[in-house]
Amino acid sequence: MKLVTYRHDGKERTGVLTADETAVRPLPYADMNTLIETAPFAELLSAAHAAEGASVPLSQVSLCAPIPRPRQDVICLGINYKAHADESTRYDASAFGGERPVPIYFSKRVSEAVAPEGFIESHPGLVQRLDYEAELAVIIGRTARNVKAADVQDHLFGYTVLNDISARLLQTTHKQWYFGKGLDGFTPMGPCIVTADEVAFPPALAISSRVNGELRQNSTTDLLITGIADIVEELSSGMTLLPGTIIATGTPAGVGMGFDPPKFLSPGDVVECTIEGIGTLRNTVR
Ligand code: MG
């Protein structure tokens, strides 16, 4: 199933895309967090089936981020693809170089995730060196506490596309990445959540990004240095991961700071992040 949050008739709703992905069938859940917490897959399927005939053409709705208001900060992996580690070190060795024997975790404040087709905020006067990072985000479906890697798959709800927008100068100046990655308008997400039952585990999906149509990132999600099973096992060994928790798994090579000279974003630029089987997240910088 491809699940979406959308606005129709002035109201925010949850729904499931039809097989041809031209329409959405409404689901009886107040919001995506409630759906994830309360709906077993069988119930979701029957609700989707019961809604047949009541579908609304996508052209008549506006998609929101699938989880517009995450209940907690998004958990992120830093430097989790080898080629991105190399490009980051070339850009700024003091900030990104050195040995990394264990994963880098940080979090991203998301008061409101940016909708598909929504705007990436450039924050003139505050932000320089605005950058994009296409990432596979995994969403927890069942409370995860002390979960072994072999059992992680059973705790996943689904996957979406997330653009980890980054203000490189704030990120490196402040040492901690929280401020430079947690500004308003810095977390586009969507266009949908693909439920975990539809993706072979671990996911090996093509991931790419384009800026104004120019291919920038082009990789596959099986190249994660620390995979989803190990991430969830390690985090859940001391941190309860609640349903609806979003984990952004890191970005492959080809971000703006990876080019020489760098190719940072400017107002008017259109960024498209695509993951095979999920879709394309398209946003414009303003
Ligand atoms: Mg990132």
Side-chain angles (χ1 to χ4, degrees):
M1 277 176 287
K2 287 187 169 178
L3 300 170
V4 294
T5 299
Y6 65 99
R7 291 194 73 81
H8 182 59
D9 285 343
K11 191 165 182 284
E12 194 174 286
R13 303 166 189 270
T14 57
V16 58
L17 293 185
T18 55
D20 62 3
E21 299 185 19
T22 62
V24 59
R25 293 193 184 110
L27 291 171
Y29 302 94
D31 56 48
M32 192 65 75
N33 282 315
T34 306
L35 184 158
I36 293 169
E37 279 178 349
T38 59
F41 279 113
E43 184 187 323
L44 261 181
L45 277 171
S46 73
H49 185 71
E52 198 153 4
S55 63
V56 182
L58 276 185
S59 58
Q60 294 179 17
V61 310
S62 60
L63 289 181
C64 308
I67 303 179
R69 291 165 297 280
R71 289 194 175 143
Q72 296 176 293
D73 285 2
V74 172
I75 298 173
C76 301
L77 274 283
I79 313 290
N80 201 27
Y81 287 78
K82 171 73 168 62
H84 177 59
D86 295 343
E87 71 176 358
S88 302
T89 302
R90 278 196 303 274
Y91 173 74
D92 186 338
S94 67
F96 299 112
E99 293 297 312
R100 280 177 294 268
V102 295
I104 297 171
Y105 297 117
F106 64 97
S107 80
K108 195 168 168 77
R109 167 141 297 203
V110 187
S111 298
E112 177 128 22
V114 177
E117 304 293 335
F119 290 102
I120 296 164
E121 300 293 342
S122 62
H123 296 273
L126 174 65
V127 165
Q128 297 171 53
R129 306 179 191 171
L130 187 71
D131 211 345
Y132 53 87
E133 298 189 350
E135 307 201 7
L136 175 70
V138 58
I139 296 150
I140 298 292
R142 287 174 50 204
T143 299
R145 183 184 298 124
N146 291 321
V147 176
K148 292 301 169 201
D151 299 323
V152 164
Q153 193 178 355
D154 297 336
H155 291 73
L156 305 183
F157 181 79
Y159 304 92
T160 191
V161 183
L162 188 148
N163 188 348
D164 177 18
I165 296 293
S166 305
R168 296 298 180 202
L169 193 56
L170 284 180
Q171 183 186 357
T172 53
T173 302
H174 284 262
K175 306 300 180 188
Q176 289 278 341
W177 299 357
Y178 191 66
F179 189 36
K181 284 173 172 276
L183 302 184
D184 294 346
F186 268 27
T187 309
M189 197 194 307
C192 64
I193 294 172
V194 174
T195 49
D197 59 308
E198 294 195 0
V199 179
F201 190 82
L205 307 172
I207 179 171
S208 64
S209 70
R210 291 176 183 271
V211 177
N212 302 328
E214 179 187 290
L215 184 65
R216 297 287 182 85
Q217 297 180 277
N218 191 17
S219 186
T220 55
T221 62
D222 55 345
L223 295 177
L224 296 178
I225 295 171
T226 305
I228 292 166
D230 291 328
I231 292 167
V232 173
E233 175 177 298
E234 181 165 61
L235 289 175
S236 76
S237 69
M239 178 189 290
T240 301
L241 303 177
L242 298 173
T245 295
I246 302 163
I247 303 173
T249 57
T251 199
V255 301
M257 72 173 173
F259 291 88
D260 185 15
K263 297 181 175 183
F264 293 120
L265 297 172
S266 303
D269 286 346
V270 176
V271 187
E272 294 168 293
C273 300
T274 302
I275 297 180
E276 177 186 4
I278 303 175
T280 295
L281 172 64
R282 182 179 182 277
N283 301 95
T284 302
V285 181
R286 73 173 175 193

